[in-house]
Amino acid sequence: MVQRGIVTKGISGKFFVQSEGQIIECFARKKLKKDCIVLAGDVVDFNLSECVIENVVPRKNKLIRPPIANIDRIIIVISCVPEVDLYLTDKLIIAAKLNNIEPILCFNKIDLDNDLVFEIQQQYSKADVKFLKVSAKSGYNIDRLIEIMHGGLNCFAGQSAVGKSSLINAILGCDYSEIGNLSAKISRGKNTTRHTEIIKVRDFYIADTPGFSLLELDNLKYNELKDYYDEFFIYQNDCKFSSCTHIKEPDCAVINAVNRGDISSSRHKRYTEIYFDLKKEQSYI
């Protein structure tokens, strides 16, 4: 008997498939393993009597670092502790758009620094990304976060110790895994998530994933980076050069908008850094 389900976890060649309210431990058919690496998030057809995955349904998208497929939203969690890394945040937003995934910027621990929350919200006010303020500790806006997550696979990402696991626990209403403690001495936490695992919650799925700090924009050409900054769109047709990169060209409408304060100068500075990092990497190819 062949059933359809979703892979919630893969460890050492074993795949845990959720189907009809049950979790079935399966192996992948040998032929399938040669043609396709099964990922968490994959929708699969499996032989129930043999507990063998026969087929992987065509994917909406996939990531290799971390290994996961068919993501609908990336919940990018940031907070004031540890010190926020907006360079990583921007790369995650770009990676989401590159893979047809909706990015949600989620500021946790809002009770610690409201000034920083406002500053960061202003930086992204003209970017096409939802911004949500929450507190896993107090439960503030957790219901709104759940509302946003309905009807899809939601992947949590961000630095260690920003509260990804704590937010998942707040959504579930219980502890699902060990939570890494923040080290006050070095201001960063222990990453206790060692593999991608997907959890079903009513009509949606959530995933806590390791390795997003290693994310690279492998499929993005450096001269196409500008296409993933929404705040550039309304100005770029007014640039002197049609091939303008918005870095240092004369009569660049985007740079003029930055100088007027219409585009966040911090966002543009990080855009420039990412542009040159991509260009440097691709010059060796």
Side-chain angles (χ1 to χ4, degrees):
M1 178 181 177
V2 176
Q3 284 186 199
R4 180 161 289 189
I6 181 171
V7 177
T8 61
K9 181 170 59 174
I11 301 176
S12 302
K14 296 179 182 179
F15 301 96
F16 298 82
V17 181
Q18 181 150 20
S19 178
E20 299 183 4
Q22 299 182 64
I23 299 288
I24 299 97
E25 186 176 315
C26 296
F27 293 91
R29 187 73 71 189
K30 287 184 179 180
K31 180 181 182 301
L32 181 63
K33 288 194 289 186
K34 293 178 181 178
D35 299 334
C36 175
I37 298 173
V38 179
L39 301 175
D42 272 331
V43 177
V44 298
D45 297 316
F46 66 99
N47 187 307
L48 182 59
S49 59
E50 297 180 27
C51 295
V52 174
I53 296 172
E54 303 280 2
N55 175 60
V56 175
V57 175
R59 296 159 172 155
K60 172 183 176 179
N61 52 51
K62 72 171 181 177
L63 298 178
I64 301 303
R65 297 186 299 272
I68 189 168
N70 298 316
I71 309 166
D72 293 289
R73 300 173 200 88
I74 290 181
I75 315 295
I76 303 167
V77 184
I78 59 176
S79 74
C80 55
V81 180
E83 184 179 355
V84 64
D85 183 352
L86 293 181
Y87 178 89
L88 172 62
T89 301
D90 286 350
K91 286 183 68 177
L92 287 169
I93 292 171
I94 295 161
K97 295 180 179 182
L98 189 62
N99 290 281
N100 192 30
I101 302 168
E102 180 185 10
I104 309 293
L105 194 52
C106 184
F107 199 107
N108 189 26
K109 309 178 188 178
I110 60 162
D111 51 309
L112 297 182
D113 193 335
N114 278 308
D115 291 337
L116 181 60
V117 176
F118 178 77
E119 178 190 333
I120 293 175
Q121 189 170 11
Q122 289 299 107
Q123 286 192 36
Y124 292 93
S125 62
K126 295 185 179 178
D128 185 18
V129 54
K130 289 179 181 174
F131 189 96
L132 184 66
K133 295 176 281 188
V134 302
S135 171
K137 184 177 181 180
S138 71
Y140 175 76
N141 253 353
I142 296 299
D143 56 344
R144 175 59 181 146
L145 178 58
I146 291 172
E147 183 181 317
I148 289 172
M149 295 168 65
H150 278 305
L153 173 54
N154 304 272
C155 180
F156 280 73
Q159 299 164 259
S160 296
V162 291
K164 299 187 297 293
S165 294
S166 298
L167 283 172
I168 293 173
N169 290 339
I171 291 165
L172 295 176
C174 62
D175 289 343
Y176 92 100
S177 66
E178 176 190 3
I179 301 175
N181 294 317
L182 181 67
S183 169
K185 184 176 181 181
I186 58 176
S187 294
R188 58 184 174 85
K190 302 173 184 177
N191 186 352
T192 58
T193 306
R194 296 175 177 85
H195 56 262
T196 297
E197 182 167 5
I198 294 170
I199 307 158
K200 192 175 192 302
V201 185
R202 295 187 287 277
D203 69 338
F204 62 95
Y205 294 88
I206 57 179
D208 190 14
T209 54
F212 259 106
S213 60
L214 304 176
L215 182 68
E216 298 298 338
L217 302 174
D218 296 326
N219 299 322
L220 180 61
K221 295 179 180 177
Y222 69 89
N223 57 357
E224 295 175 351
L225 178 64
K226 62 182 185 298
D227 298 334
Y228 294 87
Y229 280 75
D230 309 284
E231 53 268 67
F232 294 177
F233 290 166
I234 63 172
Y235 302 104
Q236 60 188 14
N237 289 336
D238 295 326
C239 292
K240 181 177 181 179
F241 302 105
S242 60
S243 60
C244 187
T245 62
H246 318 313
I247 300 291
K248 58 181 180 181
E249 293 89 342
D251 296 327
C252 171
V254 171
I255 293 176
N256 291 339
V258 172
N259 293 335
R260 292 195 305 270
D262 295 331
I263 291 176
S264 166
S265 59
S266 298
R267 274 272 285 171
H268 184 265
K269 181 181 179 181
R270 294 192 299 273
Y271 159 76
T272 302
E273 292 173 1
I274 295 171
Y275 174 91
F276 283 116
D277 285 347
L278 285 174
K279 187 174 182 179
K280 183 178 179 181
E281 291 169 10
Q282 291 168 17
S283 66
Y284 294 107
I285 298 174

